[in-house]
Amino acid sequence: MITTELSNIGDIIQNQREFFQTGKTKDVTFRIEQLKNLKQAIIEYKQSIVEALQRDLHKPELETYITEIGVIKEIDYAIKHINSWTKPKKAAVSLDFFSYSARIYPEPLGVVLIIGPWNYPFQLIISPLIGAIAAGNCAIIKPSEIAFYTSHIIAEIVAKHFDPAYIAVVEGGVEASQKLLAEKFDHIFFTGGTAVGKIIMAAAAKYLTPVTLELGGKSPCIVDTDINLEHTVRRIAWGKFINAGQTCIAPDYLLVDKKIKKDLIAGLEKCLKEFYGDNPANSPDYARIISQKHFDRLVNFLEDGEVIIGGKTKPSERYIAPTVIDNVSLEDSIMQEEIFGPILPIIEYTEVSEAIALINSRPKPLALYLFSQNKNLQKRVLQETSSGGVCINDTVMQVGVSSLPFGGVGDSGTGNYHGKASFDTFSHNKSVLKNSFWLDLKWRYAPYQGKLPLIKKLLG
Ligand code: NAD
């Protein structure tokens, strides 16, 4: 097991600062080598990653491949585009700047800190790390202590494949996080809950450190009548119950047109049987709740409303069946907090304006889902609501598209990443203006006498 003494944090940062100063990370060839190195390390450790996630979350192997090891696709994308991302970009200048040229140079920020959560504990550390490497930074990463085995695997991979003066892992919980936050970084990238997000932002403010906060919240899912019911229930059930609902962009609750509610519930019931059999506790394809604390929190939600599908639990395994709840009140705790587990409340509406009004009365969500083929309704929901992202006629898949920046807005987060957005997040765009010596007009120099009328004329 690889552990870092918390008392060494200052040394690690100092070593990284010195390494950064050598300029080595500014070399694009070096960055590409390191991205390939990371990819190779993940491939080498595939089986250990699968086993760690099995132990932490009972995560099915297929889910680990598509949602954790699949981060390799982000590495390939970065390698493919890094030459164009790093190239200085020409910027236009207006006619009165005719003797100048302007360019934007992306430059690395320096030493960055990445703090991750436990729900996709591998991918949510590695994905921002790819951006940090591509942009030419050194990085310290702190995986979630709650996904204990995955944290160790990340530490082992990084220790084996990277110089700690370039990339280092600090394992541990709140104490480790707070020790790190007491230091100055050039950027902090945090994924986790909104409450801790506030602590991170306050700590960063002390040094004016820029932050990216990838937070959570309640992501609504509107279901209209103009749908393919079979596809709709399958896509909702998959997005909600993958990783036993512990997904930041899982549909948190459904807002369903009351004309289709009965059919939707029947469809969900049938679909869950197809996915997990008569008893999901015996299915190899269904995860468990990460910890006793989260299990207890979720079990309390089962008291709200009326359980119409599922509802069974097995405390010894931290198992909660895929559950659908009807007749919840908006004041119930299940409708006040992010659920982050396999419990899906259904709220019906008569007019879609009720659904939109409910969404707009709450903090801006990370994701918003709409199932409808009605183009006018699609347009209306896009126009009248605000959320980190939107996925129409599907759930969760938006996270897999590297060309789409991923992030929240308002309470669901600040900043974004994936693909080019990751590179931008960990870069500073340095504006460079260059003049030449072939001409030096005197309109801006003192003495100003006689020059004002011309300036006034030019400025209209
Ligand atoms: P969390 O906020 O409890 O913990 C995240 C990280 O912060 C962990 O590494 C933890 O050690 C550290 N931490 C916890 N308390 C701290 C404190 N007081 N001071 C400093 N650091 C502290 O989040 P979690 O429970 O691991 O993850 C669940 C939350 O994360 C959910 O709200 C979910 O929606 C959100 N999430 C968001 C995204 C996204 O991409 N936007 C992805 C996954 C999870």
Side-chain angles (χ1 to χ4, degrees), residues 116-119 124 142 145 177 190-193 196 214-216 248 338:
W118 51 259
N119 62 331
L124 292 173
K142 199 211 77 68
E145 75 285 10
S177 232
F190 170 80
T191 307
V196 182
E214 296 284 338
L215 310 177
C248 58
E338 177 182 12

Side-chain angles (χ1 to χ4, degrees), residues 114-120 124-125 142-146 172-179 181 189-197 199-200 213-218 246-249 290 293-294 338 340 366 399 406-408 412-413 417-418:
I114 297 169
I115 300 179
W118 51 259
N119 62 331
Y120 291 88
L124 292 173
I125 281 286
K142 199 211 77 68
S144 170
E145 75 285 10
I146 295 171
V174 176
E175 193 200 348
S177 232
Q178 287 177 346
K179 279 231 150 84
L181 291 170
F189 188 104
F190 170 80
T191 307
T194 304
V196 182
I199 296 173
I200 304 290
L213 302 176
E214 296 284 338
L215 310 177
K218 291 183 85 60
Q246 300 161 109
T247 303
C248 58
I249 47 168
I290 185 79
K293 187 177 138 209
H294 285 279
E338 177 182 12
F340 217 55
L366 182 57
V399 75
F406 179 82
S412 57
Y417 73 131
H418 288 181

Side-chain angles (χ1 to χ4, degrees), residues 26-74:
K26 292 193 175 162
D27 177 2
V28 177
T29 314
F30 172 82
R31 300 185 203 178
I32 294 172
E33 269 168 23
Q34 299 309 317
L35 288 168
K36 288 185 176 162
N37 185 14
L38 180 61
K39 179 175 173 179
Q40 206 39 51
I42 297 173
I43 292 171
E44 186 187 316
Y45 272 85
K46 265 189 317 207
Q47 199 45 40
S48 308
I49 297 166
V50 168
E51 282 161 18
L53 283 149
Q54 172 70 28
R55 291 175 87 175
D56 282 328
L57 281 150
H58 198 265
K59 200 175 274 210
E61 187 167 355
L62 183 136
E63 288 186 18
T64 295
Y65 265 86
I66 59 174
T67 65
E68 306 271 9
I69 294 170
V71 76
I72 282 178
K73 270 178 56 194
E74 276 276 319

